[in-house]
Amino acid sequence: MDILKAATALNQATSSTTAIGQLSAEQHFDVDTAYRIQAAGVAQRLDRGEKRSGAKMGLTSRAKAAQMGVDDVIYGRLTDAMLVEDGGKTALEAFIHPRVEPEIAFLLKAPLSGNVSPAQAYSAVEAIAPALEIIDSRYTNFMFSLDDVVADNCSAAGYVVGPWCRADIDVANLGMILEFNGRPVQIGSSAAILGHPMRSLAAAARLALASGEQLEAGWIVLAGGATAAEGLGAGTAVRLCVEKLGQVGFSI
Ligand code: OOG
Ligand code: MG
């Protein structure tokens, strides 16, 4: 597999908002190669002036794994160019076939790397917030294998972070309601995220190290969608309400 060629093709699909065929259909590659393609693609974005802002976990809930037909937890990279302001607007034209998911975000005050327990992960958390992730697979029909989606930076395309809350709020089992134009479209619980979102943060530390980096102080880490993702259409006001944490939203 030509790592640079694959990374360039995925970045071109992103900037031209034109889907491409699955890389695995052309040539078999393994998950380590997939993470190298992801790292190379993000490095190209940083070369163009984007700044690294954090990391994301994916497929951490049963609902997401079932929706995508892939059941391994995956790790991706966030940059500042993906940030959409809370209450802000984004354009449908900026994406290929975007979907949105209800998430929980962690803000780190200390680095994390390797095998850490959920309790150790917790001690590195500065604050927590309700969050929305916009995912947009660069592959035709949003279909991919595990290796394809890892190479594609886990479909990362945008994220919105709500007001930061104190880290000592217990996030084990918080009700989450995703609304489109005031109507609930997905209802779930933070417990769907690996049983506890802090487990997802611990898994992020492990996968970061496997990917040759560590989670840094100041980074935002998205724990993964608590429910299946919902397709976004124009004229949609999206809002997530999380019990005890509050609300976050944007419109498209
Ligand atoms: C892969 C990304 C999954 C999540 O929160 O589970 C993800 C995809 O579904 O395209 O971000
Ligand atoms: Mg997600």
Side-chain angles (χ1 to χ4, degrees):
M1 175 61 76
D2 185 332
I3 304 240
L4 272 182
K5 194 171 153 223
T8 303
L10 286 161
N11 274 336
Q12 267 167 8
T14 307
S15 44
S16 64
T17 61
T18 309
I20 58 173
Q22 295 178 41
L23 296 176
S24 63
E26 286 161 38
Q27 192 185 335
H28 175 76
F29 57 103
D30 62 15
V31 72
D32 290 338
T33 305
Y35 276 108
R36 283 163 62 205
I37 295 169
Q38 178 191 126
V42 174
Q44 288 176 351
R45 294 179 65 138
L46 300 183
D47 282 347
R48 293 201 308 252
E50 294 181 30
K51 300 266 180 301
R52 188 68 188 276
S53 57
K56 63 163 280 185
M57 291 298 288
L59 309 179
T60 47
S61 69
R62 247 182 254 269
K64 278 290 308 179
Q67 182 179 32
M68 305 322 298
V70 176
D71 64 2
D72 243 316
V73 166
I74 55 178
Y75 173 85
R77 292 158 160 93
L78 302 176
T79 75
D80 61 348
M82 301 174 190
L83 182 68
V84 176
E85 287 302 316
D86 186 16
K89 267 194 177 150
T90 186
L92 198 58
E93 294 71 37
F95 305 97
I96 303 167
H97 38 207
R99 298 178 177 177
V100 64
E101 348 182 269
E103 304 224 4
I104 303 276
F106 295 107
L107 177 63
L108 300 187
K109 62 181 176 193
L112 272 176
S113 170
N115 276 322
V116 300
S117 66
Q120 284 168 318
Y122 172 72
S123 63
V125 175
E126 168 82 24
I128 50 185
L132 290 161
E133 185 181 24
I134 303 170
I135 53 170
D136 193 30
S137 177
R138 268 56 69 166
Y139 301 115
T140 310
N141 297 329
F142 229 111
M143 282 175 63
F144 42 71
S145 67
L146 172 74
D147 306 321
D148 287 318
V149 70
V150 166
D152 185 25
N153 198 18
C154 305
S155 310
Y159 66 98
V160 195
V161 180
W164 289 109
C165 304
R166 294 163 48 125
D168 59 5
I169 296 174
D170 183 2
V171 295
N173 185 9
L174 301 178
M176 300 171 73
I177 303 173
L178 178 67
E179 294 175 359
F180 279 8
N181 299 322
R183 284 226 202 100
V185 288
Q186 290 285 345
I187 297 177
S189 159
S190 60
I193 304 164
L194 288 182
H196 194 307
M198 213 57 77
R199 279 203 197 124
S200 180
L201 182 58
R206 182 170 46 78
L207 289 176
L209 183 65
S211 220
E213 57 181 32
Q214 63 176 11
L215 305 179
E216 303 287 357
W219 276 16
I220 287 166
V221 181
L222 297 178
T227 70
E230 281 289 322
L232 282 169
T236 310
V238 180
R239 186 164 68 146
L240 170 67
C241 303
V242 182
E243 188 186 349
K244 292 187 188 159
L245 298 186
Q247 306 183 2
V248 56
F250 70 98
S251 51
I252 189 156

